């Protein structure tokens, strides 16, 4: 019993204290603040160029997924480029879903209607009906 109690009272030796790694004095964290913020115009230009160069359905859908993941509503130019890309790769369903995505991203029905009004010539040119037109009673 005496041995156990003496071990419990013993202080760590200097060798044990040196074996413990020292914490660095300064820790550097990377943050996104170090990168410049992309303007809405640069964002729009980047995605218009992306959709104009998309060659297959996978690219179009990947671009849509990335574009709609941002906390903003894409400009009508981006939507037009995306719809044209969907029709270019012959995928009508994706073209319709672009408008469904816009409906989910906007804040109210008036904004959605403004997008529909601005893109009506495009929809007529490419023969795209929105979901509400297809399933109206």
């Amino acid at each position: 019993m005496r041995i156990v109690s003496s071990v419990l009272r013993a202080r760590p030796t200097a060798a044990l204290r040196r074996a413990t790694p020292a914490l660095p004095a300064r820790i550097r964290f990377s943050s996104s603040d170090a990168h410049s913020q992309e303007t809405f115009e640069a964002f729009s230009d980047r995605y218009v160029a992306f959709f104009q160069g998309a060659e297959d359905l996978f690219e179009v859908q990947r671009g849509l997924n990335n574009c709609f993941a941002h906390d903003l509503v894409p400009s009508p130019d981006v939507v037009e480029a995306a719809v044209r890309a969907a029709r270019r790769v012959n995928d009508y369903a994706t073209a319709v879903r672009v408008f469904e995505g816009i409906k989910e991203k906007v804040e109210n029905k008036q904004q959605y209607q403004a997008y529909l009004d601005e893109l009506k010539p495009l929809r007529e040119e490419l023969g795209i009906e929105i979901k509400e037109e297809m399933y109206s009673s």
Side-chain angles (χ1 to χ4, degrees):
M1 229 16 191
R2 291 175 95 167
I3 296 173
V4 174
S5 64
S6 65
V7 169
L8 291 175
R9 279 188 259 133
R11 293 184 182 179
T13 63
L16 286 176
R17 279 184 252 146
R18 271 186 260 128
T20 307
L23 294 176
R26 290 183 6 195
I27 300 174
R28 292 185 61 186
F29 293 100
S30 63
S31 83
S32 61
D33 293 341
H35 302 289
S36 63
Q37 292 290 330
E38 184 177 39
T39 65
F40 184 72
E41 290 76 20
F43 173 86
S44 296
D45 293 343
R46 179 166 58 102
Y47 277 100
V48 166
F50 177 84
F51 286 121
Q52 288 173 344
E55 297 180 2
D56 62 7
L57 179 59
F58 175 78
E59 279 187 274
V60 172
Q61 290 177 340
R62 180 176 59 106
L64 285 168
N65 195 24
N66 292 338
C67 180
F68 278 88
H70 291 274
D71 190 24
L72 52 81
V73 183
S75 70
D77 294 337
V78 173
V79 174
E80 179 178 350
V83 169
R84 288 188 184 280
R87 295 300 285 148
R88 186 174 59 248
V89 299
N90 199 25
D91 191 40
Y92 183 81
T94 298
V96 173
R97 287 187 187 110
V98 171
F99 289 97
E100 291 178 38
I102 292 296
K103 185 177 183 178
E104 291 298 318
K105 291 291 278 189
V106 295
E107 293 181 4
N108 54 49
K109 290 180 180 180
Q110 293 79 17
Q111 289 177 346
Y112 179 58
Q113 190 60 49
Y115 269 88
L116 292 179
D117 293 343
E118 185 164 344
L119 296 168
K120 186 174 182 170
L122 171 73
R123 291 188 314 115
E124 289 174 351
E125 175 189 340
L126 299 177
I128 298 171
E129 291 183 337
I130 57 173
K131 185 177 170 184
E132 296 85 359
E133 293 171 344
M134 286 191 261
Y135 299 110
S136 63
S137 301

